[in-house]
């Protein structure tokens, strides 16, 4: 049936498109990006249903989408290549108090955005950051320098 | 001399073996049946063709056997005169209960009486089409007949449409 194929195609297209857009677009939407997402929804909506307004079509469409999402999740877990194709990896953007400019350019991440995220995490200065990452969901996470001093006890040797 | 770069800690590697909960297997299995059934053509729109003869007239009716709510389709009846002589006063009647299961009916040509079409003369070899464009609304199974009547014979074609919600 047409609606199944249409939804599968749009799902694959949008998954790859969002993968290509980059992580930053996922976490924070600027007004332009919000408009873009709303317009994408408007544009693809008629193509998905092709004028089929029936309840039957909606049930089949929803089931198709859910099965695709489940299959995507299972395949991404099982196959690294699938994960790499559809999901971004975390990127190191701050290394021992130094912003890695090459990475921030690729991620389109400004220093003030890094600072804003640092402040949200309760970090005042860049030199307090040992590692700063931009995660696959677009959020930033930090490992503080003073974590180096945290003593992790060794596992007791088996008796 | 450069200091060796300290790499950020990496997540440990685990063998990515898939394990599913029973509920997941059952739930996803049932859900997967729906698109598979749809791809196989179940619950989709389908047309059916019926043929009959009434004397020297050949009648071909095409109608939706399956249709979904809010979809538009056409019911057509083609009448062909295969005799060497013209056939006159042909009456084609659709069973009202069947036609009224649809909405937004658009007739080509317009009927003489409700759901009854009259063709004065059909010349030898000539084919005439009667068409009704219909919008599916009332879901369920709808049955009826299309009757063709003229001096040389009569025929009745059973028609059945299932409208999915």
């Amino acid at each position: 049936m047409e609606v199944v194929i249409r939804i599968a195609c749009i799902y694959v297209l949008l998954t790859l498109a969002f993968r290509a857009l980059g992580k930053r677009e996922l976490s924070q939407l600027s007004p332009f990006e919000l408009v873009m997402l709303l317009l994408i929804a408007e544009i693809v909506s008629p193509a998905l249903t092709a004028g089929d307004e029936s309840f039957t079509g909606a049930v089949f469409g929803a089931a198709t989408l859910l099965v695709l999402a489940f299959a995507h999740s299972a395949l991404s877990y099982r196959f690294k290549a699938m994960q790499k194709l559809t999901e971004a990896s975390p990127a190191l953007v701050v290394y021992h108090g130094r912003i890695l400019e090459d990475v921030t350019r690729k991620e389109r991440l400004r220093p003030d955005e890094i600072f804003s995220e640092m402040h949200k995490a309760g970090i005042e200065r860049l030199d307090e950051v040992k590692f700063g990452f931009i995660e696959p969901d677009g959020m930033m996470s930090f490992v503080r320098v003073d974590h180096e001093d945290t003593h992790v006890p060794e596992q007791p040797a088996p008796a | 001399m450069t200091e060796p770069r300290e790499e950020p800690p990496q997540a440990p590697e685990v063998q990515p073996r898939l394990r599913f909960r029973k509920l997941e297997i059952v739930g996803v299995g049932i859900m997967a049946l729906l698109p598979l059934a749809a791809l196989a053509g179940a619950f989709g729109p389908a047309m059916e063709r019926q043929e009959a003869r009434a004397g020297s007239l050949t009648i071909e009716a095409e109608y939706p056997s399956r249709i979904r709510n809010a979809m538009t389709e056409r019911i057509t009846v083609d009448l062909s005169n295969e005799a060497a002589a013209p056939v006159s006063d042909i009456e084609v009647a659709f069973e009202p209960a069947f036609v009224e299961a649809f909405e937004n009916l658009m007739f080509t040509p317009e009927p003489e009486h409700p759901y009854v079409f009259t063709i004065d003369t059909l010349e030898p070899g000539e084919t005439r089409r009667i068409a009704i464009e219909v919008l599916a609304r009332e879901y369920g199974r709808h049955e009826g007949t299309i009757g063709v009547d003229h001096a040389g014979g009569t025929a009745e074609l059973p028609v059945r449409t299932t409208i999915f919600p």
Side-chain angles (χ1 to χ4, degrees):
Chain A
M1 186 177 53
E2 213 181 318
V3 73
V4 173
I5 296 161
R6 283 169 178 272
I7 284 177
C9 291
I10 298 285
Y11 181 86
V12 171
L13 179 78
L14 288 185
T15 303
L16 295 177
F18 279 113
R19 171 75 178 89
L21 269 180
K23 294 185 265 296
R24 209 59 195 149
E25 270 66 20
L26 296 177
S27 79
Q28 291 181 354
L29 295 177
S30 67
F32 164 73
E33 288 156 354
L34 180 64
V35 168
M36 182 190 73
L37 281 183
L38 290 173
L39 286 178
I40 284 178
E42 284 296 313
I43 291 164
V44 302
S45 172
L48 279 176
T49 58
D52 184 351
E53 298 168 19
S54 67
F55 175 77
T56 312
V59 168
F60 282 113
T64 304
L65 200 57
L66 290 169
V67 170
L68 281 172
F70 183 84
H72 179 193
S73 148
L75 292 173
S76 295
Y77 175 75
R78 181 65 186 83
F79 302 106
K80 204 107 185 148
M82 180 70 174
Q83 189 195 352
K84 279 186 178 170
L85 182 70
T86 58
E87 292 170 29
S89 315
L92 185 67
V93 290
V94 180
Y95 181 73
H96 282 281
R98 193 165 54 85
I99 291 175
L100 303 177
E101 287 180 24
D102 193 40
V103 184
T104 55
R105 284 187 191 120
K106 284 179 190 162
E107 300 294 339
R108 294 177 300 284
L109 190 61
R110 296 190 311 267
D112 60 290
E113 289 179 302
I114 297 174
F115 268 68
S116 172
E117 296 294 334
M118 276 166 49
H119 297 160
K120 282 181 202 165
I123 300 168
E124 193 184 343
R125 296 188 317 272
L126 200 57
D127 57 16
E128 289 176 55
V129 179
K130 186 177 174 186
F131 301 122
F133 300 95
I134 180 160
E135 301 290 351
D137 61 1
M139 303 300 283
M140 287 203 70
S141 60
F142 301 97
V143 177
R144 288 172 189 262
V145 167
D146 59 5
H147 278 198
E148 273 183 340
D149 304 329
T150 308
H151 175 69
V152 181
E154 284 179 26
Q155 291 287 322
Chain B
M1 200 172 113
T2 53
E3 230 177 280
R5 184 173 152 151
E6 184 191 358
E7 290 297 322
Q10 299 288 316
E13 288 285 330
V14 289
Q15 192 71 16
R17 287 208 185 116
L18 288 173
R19 289 257 173 89
F20 301 112
R21 287 185 285 270
K22 277 183 187 168
L23 190 65
E24 272 178 333
I25 295 169
V26 174
V28 175
I30 291 169
M31 265 192 297
L33 284 178
L34 293 175
L36 288 176
L39 287 171
F43 303 103
M47 297 295 284
E48 199 162 304
R49 185 182 284 262
Q50 291 273 0
E51 281 186 29
R53 284 191 72 89
S56 57
L57 282 185
T58 303
I59 307 137
E60 273 185 21
E62 199 176 30
Y63 60 95
S65 57
R66 292 196 310 255
I67 190 169
R68 291 206 194 133
N69 181 38
M71 277 187 169
T72 303
E73 204 42 88
R74 274 161 73 95
I75 302 169
T76 58
V77 179
D78 289 319
L79 302 157
S80 305
N81 181 7
E82 292 179 352
V87 179
S88 304
D89 300 324
I90 308 162
E91 194 177 85
V92 180
F94 289 78
E95 194 173 319
F98 176 73
V99 180
E100 284 166 4
F102 300 95
E103 287 182 8
N104 289 15
L105 304 173
M106 286 170 72
F107 304 97
T108 314
E110 283 296 321
E112 298 284 314
H113 305 288
Y115 320 127
V116 179
F117 300 81
T118 310
I119 297 169
D120 292 335
T121 310
L122 203 60
E123 297 296 334
E126 190 185 351
T127 300
R128 198 76 64 85
R129 169 168 280 193
I130 291 164
I132 311 176
E133 198 172 286
V134 295
L135 175 75
R137 277 286 178 218
E138 199 178 310
Y139 61 83
R141 196 169 175 167
H142 306 284
E143 292 179 338
T145 54
I146 299 170
V148 179
D149 188 30
H150 66 103
T154 58
E156 209 166 65
L157 291 92
V159 284
R160 183 190 300 153
T161 299
T162 303
I163 301 177
F164 296 119

